[in-house]
Amino acid sequence: MIRAVQAGSGRADAQGASSRGGRRVFRHLAFLVALGAAIVGLVGSMTAIPATAAGAEGATAVSARSTTTAHDPVIFVHGYGDDANTWDDTIRWFKGQGYRDTELFNWGYDWTASNSAHVGRLAGFIRDHFGADKKINIVAHSMGGLLTRKYLKDYPDRQSQVLNWASLGGPNHGAHNAVWCKFFPCEWAYPSLTEMSPGSDFLNGLNSGDETPGPTQYITYASRNDRVVSTGSTALTGADNHVLEDGPSHEGLRNDSTVRSGLLAEFDKHKPAPVTIDKGDYVIHAKAWLEYWNDGPGKCAELYGSIDLLHHGADRPGPESRDAWKVTDPSDFCEGDTRFGRQMDSMAPGAIGQWGDERGFTFRFDINDYDSTSSDDKLAAGRVSWDPTMGTGEFDEYVYGVDEGKVHLQYWVEHA
């Protein structure tokens, strides 16, 4: 079913909101210039100011409990040329509708590689965070829809876990700017581009049989003003297909008010049980390092960016948040270089506020590899969030990006 929808007045094209790496979306491609490789360490610790001790030694620091509305988690998956942080505005909007940070996930991947290469890791992410039974929703922009549809097709036993799958401008039957891959070989550049060519082996396999398998509700949104993916390409047989007659650009679909409101209405049809949150004071310790980077051994790279620690529901660094690591100008980092660690260690611990708020905290990663001959690579991007519903203890998370960049974050949370 295809529905024609008038776009809301609150839409935003969000052009320019993409990362530097996103600027090469669907342009003529060249061989990637290998600037180097390294295993770079980020080592440090961050400690919140503990609250004034109360009660006898060993007494719990939990001062109160509150009950709050729960929502099924939403996983946002970016498209070709983008990174996980392109969902920042959308996540901020959903938080404004009552969602907690720990219910909103922006999952990243190396968009230059084959979509098939990431399906297993997406399956592992869902298993590790939600088990086999917790219901979830998936929202994918552009090529992210192909990867996530591939997950649903390859893992039929997981289909009942995904309540809603939504594709925003998804090239489900091909993308305009990938048509030339039918006539000229382009696998030498990025395999993902070849897969988006109409009639590619990847698309033929993905669309064979039932295009919308299982009990999942499939939802698509397309725009008449999308110059990258046609409305006919996005629509799927068996899906609830929406066409925005006066809609935004391809990139603008992520932030369109009609799209957001429509998704929220669908997600709110299923209400999980309320959750109880301990409103105590907490202390966090953390360390992070670049665990893997496929850009050639024994060389150096010029890295810049930041790891921000946000809490009390903040969306960006501010009075109650801090930079865990920040480099503004690209700097050489080579194999075995420990400057990440020294920079983090040099920051005086404490002085970042008390955590008596049930919203917890978020690490936001934005690490780039400078390239003087092309657009910079987003080596790692994304968010890792915690709140008291997750309990105290040790946690391991991973954040991904281009060149198979993989940052490993370990953090420990305890009562103050």
Side-chain angles (χ1 to χ4, degrees), residues 193-250:
L193 190 65
T194 298
E195 292 172 350
M196 287 188 288
S197 177
S200 69
D201 291 342
F202 177 84
L203 287 180
N204 287 340
L206 184 63
N207 294 323
S208 63
D210 189 353
E211 290 189 335
T212 54
T216 301
Q217 175 166 328
Y218 291 78
I219 306 166
T220 73
Y221 280 92
S223 170
R224 297 290 186 196
N225 293 317
D226 189 334
R227 299 295 179 259
V228 177
V229 178
S230 69
T231 58
S233 177
T234 297
L236 290 170
T237 302
D240 190 2
N241 300 301
H242 303 262
V243 175
L244 305 183
E245 296 295 340
D246 186 26
S249 66
H250 183 69

Side-chain angles (χ1 to χ4, degrees), residues 250-289:
H250 183 69
E251 295 298 322
L253 280 165
R254 280 194 307 266
N255 301 319
D256 185 83
S257 61
T258 300
V259 173
R260 288 173 172 174
S261 298
L263 294 177
L264 183 66
E266 292 298 332
F267 298 168
D268 280 353
K269 290 179 180 179
H270 184 260
K271 295 287 189 181
V275 295
T276 299
I277 297 179
D278 293 334
K279 300 177 67 175
D281 295 290
Y282 298 90
V283 176
I284 176 178
H285 306 271
K287 62 180 181 180
W289 60 96

Side-chain angles (χ1 to χ4, degrees), residues 75 105 107 120-130 397-398:
I75 303 173
F105 298 80
W107 186 79
R121 186 163 61 76
L122 176 59
F125 174 85
I126 293 174
R127 180 194 63 240
D128 293 344
H129 287 78
F130 313 113
E397 296 281 357
Y398 297 90

Side-chain angles (χ1 to χ4, degrees), residues 41-65:
L42 290 82
V43 183
S45 65
M46 294 157 281
T47 308
I49 299 176
T52 303
E57 183 178 353
T60 179
V62 176
S63 58
R65 288 184 169 87

Side-chain angles (χ1 to χ4, degrees), residues 14 22 28 60 91 162 199 213 251 367:
H28 292 296
T60 179
I91 288 175
V162 181
E251 295 298 322
I367 301 175

Side-chain angles (χ1 to χ4, degrees), residues 86-164:
T86 58
W87 290 107
D88 279 357
D89 287 343
T90 302
I91 288 175
R92 188 176 300 116
W93 185 86
F94 270 87
K95 287 169 63 177
Q97 312 308 309
Y99 278 72
R100 305 193 316 277
D101 281 294
T102 51
E103 296 172 328
L104 303 168
F105 298 80
N106 57 349
W107 186 79
Y109 62 100
D110 184 352
W111 54 267
T112 67
S114 168
N115 286 281
S116 299
H118 305 299
V119 173
R121 186 163 61 76
L122 176 59
F125 174 85
I126 293 174
R127 180 194 63 240
D128 293 344
H129 287 78
F130 313 113
D133 301 318
K134 188 174 182 63
K135 303 300 184 183
I136 62 173
N137 298 298
I138 294 176
V139 178
H141 177 249
S142 193
M143 189 180 74
L146 304 184
L147 192 165
T148 51
R149 273 184 68 209
K150 178 72 170 168
Y151 163 74
L152 288 168
K153 189 178 184 72
D154 288 358
Y155 291 83
D157 58 320
R158 306 279 190 90
Q159 292 167 357
S160 61
Q161 184 177 16
V162 181
L163 291 171
N164 296 281

